[in-house]
């Protein structure tokens, strides 16, 4: 069982930002990454549809004998993780916006959170947000249109810059000192966000935390791969245009088109 791959899925190419953290933390693990780009963005869909797509992705990965599933998507996690955990026996790791470290460390008592509509309107997000909002202003912003631009490779475009400027404006007016990236596509915006934000605003995402949590859960379940042979990492996307995902991953890993 421990030799089997880790399964990881996202609504599209964004979860590769999580996969990269995982690969650094767990270099001996094999993995299968599923990008459901045909159905991206999930963030505008209703809860039932997000659950249906998350079940489809999980079953694909379980049919490939994955030993553990990582939901590399805040929207799918916040809407579907409890259903998936109830339905399947393998360990399932999710990702949620890192409100806690931002709320605990803010000096200005104001933090910003950029995420999809699906994440910000979920009960799971509300529960976490309520836990840490005491005495703090949390400026929530839906990142409408961002995922689409990243999916089409336009993450360094003028359009993106205009969108980000408009989304950051209310946050800067509230004097935030932390910006929480609540979508796994958004780490690809860090270079542009760093340019647009004043120096004292820190940007945080949940990638490293998810990688560490995955390692801890594999250890707990005795599922860490003990073999030192070169692991296999496979990447599937259900769009014929594999270029964007390929460029995000670099040349070392090959992206395959697959209908699913
Ligand atoms: N990467 C997904 C997330 O973390 C993007 C959601 C979407 O497809 O809208 O939320």
């Amino acid at each position: 069982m421990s030799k089997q791959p880790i399964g990881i899925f996202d609504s599209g190419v964004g979860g590769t930002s999580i996969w990269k953290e995982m690969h650094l933390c767990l270099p001996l693990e094999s993995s299968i990454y599923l990008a459901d780009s045909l159905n991206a963005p999930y963030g505008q869909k209703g809860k039932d549809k997000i659950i249906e797509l998350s079940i489809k992705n999980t079953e694909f990965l379980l049919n490939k004998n994955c030993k553990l599933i990582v939901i590399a998507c805040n929207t799918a996690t916040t809407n579907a993780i409890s259903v998936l955990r109830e339905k399947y026996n393998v360990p399932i790791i999710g990702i949620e916006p890192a409100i806690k470290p931002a709320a605990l460390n803010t000096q200005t008592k104001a933090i910003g959170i950029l995420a999809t509509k699906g994440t910000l309107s979920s009960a799971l997000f509300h529960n976490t947000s309520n836990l840490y909002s005491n005495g703090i202003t949390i400026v929530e912003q839906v990142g409408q249109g961002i995922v689409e631009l990243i999916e089409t490779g336009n993450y360094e475009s003028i359009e993106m810059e205009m969108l980000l400027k408009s989304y950051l404006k209310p946050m800067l007016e509230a004097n935030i000192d932390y910006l929480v990236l609540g979508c796994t596509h958004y780490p690809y915006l860090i270079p542009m966000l760093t340019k647009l934000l004043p120096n004292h605003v820190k940007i945080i995402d949940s990638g490293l935390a998810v990688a560490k949590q995955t390692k801890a859960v594999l250890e707990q379940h005795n599922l860490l791969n003990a073999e030192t042979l070169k692991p296999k990492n496979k990447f599937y996307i259900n769009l014929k245009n594999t270029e964007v995902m390929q460029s995000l991953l670099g040349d070392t890993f090959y992206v395959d088109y697959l209908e699913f």
Side-chain angles (χ1 to χ4, degrees):
M1 181 89 172
S2 62
K3 287 182 208 143
Q4 289 165 210
I6 291 173
I8 169 166
F9 77 84
D10 180 32
S11 61
V13 301
T16 52
S17 65
I18 306 302
W19 179 85
K20 287 176 187 174
E21 296 278 9
M22 259 179 40
H23 186 57
L24 284 175
C25 200
L26 294 160
L28 296 180
E29 297 296 328
S30 292
S31 66
I32 302 178
Y33 180 100
L34 207 55
D36 189 16
S37 291
L38 197 61
N39 291 301
Y42 281 14
Q44 300 299 316
K45 297 186 180 354
K47 188 177 171 78
D48 287 350
K49 188 69 190 170
I50 297 168
I51 291 174
E52 180 194 316
L53 294 169
S54 300
I55 288 175
K56 180 199 71 167
N57 297 334
T58 305
E59 294 202 341
F60 175 96
L61 293 167
L62 292 178
N63 285 334
K64 300 254 177 225
N65 288 324
C66 290
K67 61 184 175 183
L68 173 148
I69 303 293
V70 176
I71 311 173
C73 176
N74 291 260
T75 313
T77 300
T78 50
N79 285 277
I81 195 165
S82 54
V83 175
L84 298 182
R85 283 190 170 145
E86 196 131 304
K87 216 168 150 57
Y88 305 107
N89 278 330
V90 295
I92 298 181
I93 312 275
I95 183 163
E96 279 188 74
I99 303 177
K100 184 179 173 183
L104 294 181
N105 291 305
T106 175
Q107 301 294 308
T108 60
K109 302 291 169 220
I111 65 172
I113 157 131
L114 191 59
T116 67
K117 186 169 159 230
T119 294
L120 293 177
S121 59
S122 68
L124 193 56
F125 173 77
H126 279 287
N127 293 344
T128 314
S129 166
N130 287 340
L131 277 181
Y132 299 105
S133 59
N134 213 351
I136 285 174
T137 304
I138 302 182
V139 185
E140 294 175 16
Q141 176 66 54
V142 173
Q144 183 80 41
I146 297 180
V147 166
E148 290 89 327
L149 284 174
I150 296 174
E151 286 288 318
T152 49
N154 294 307
Y155 50 96
E156 285 166 339
S157 61
I158 299 286
E159 276 163 284
M160 182 68 87
E161 190 169 330
M162 306 281 280
L163 271 187
L164 291 182
K165 275 186 180 157
S166 71
Y167 296 157
L168 294 176
K169 194 165 179 276
M171 299 188 186
L172 294 174
E173 282 166 2
N175 195 24
I176 63 155
D177 59 355
Y178 277 87
L179 171 63
V180 178
L181 302 184
C183 170
T184 57
H185 282 67
Y186 300 172
Y188 289 112
L189 304 175
I190 290 174
M192 188 178 275
L193 286 167
T194 307
K195 256 187 10 201
L196 298 175
L197 287 167
N199 284 342
H200 71 279
V201 179
K202 294 176 194 67
I203 302 169
I204 47 177
D205 68 80
S206 318
L208 182 60
V210 169
K212 286 184 177 166
Q213 174 69 1
T214 305
K215 189 174 182 184
V217 171
L218 287 174
E219 273 165 1
Q220 264 169 34
H221 290 78
N222 258 326
L223 284 174
L224 272 180
N225 183 19
E227 288 206 344
T228 50
L229 290 174
K230 209 174 170 341
K232 289 192 187 78
N233 295 290
K234 294 193 173 151
F235 297 88
Y236 297 119
I237 185 169
N238 51 7
L239 281 187
K240 283 198 176 131
N241 178 2
T242 58
E243 268 169 41
V244 174
M245 187 158 152
Q246 190 67 68
S247 72
L248 293 174
L249 278 172
D251 293 338
T252 321
F253 301 100
Y254 182 72
V255 179
D256 258 325
Y257 161 70
L258 189 79
E259 238 175 272
F260 61 86

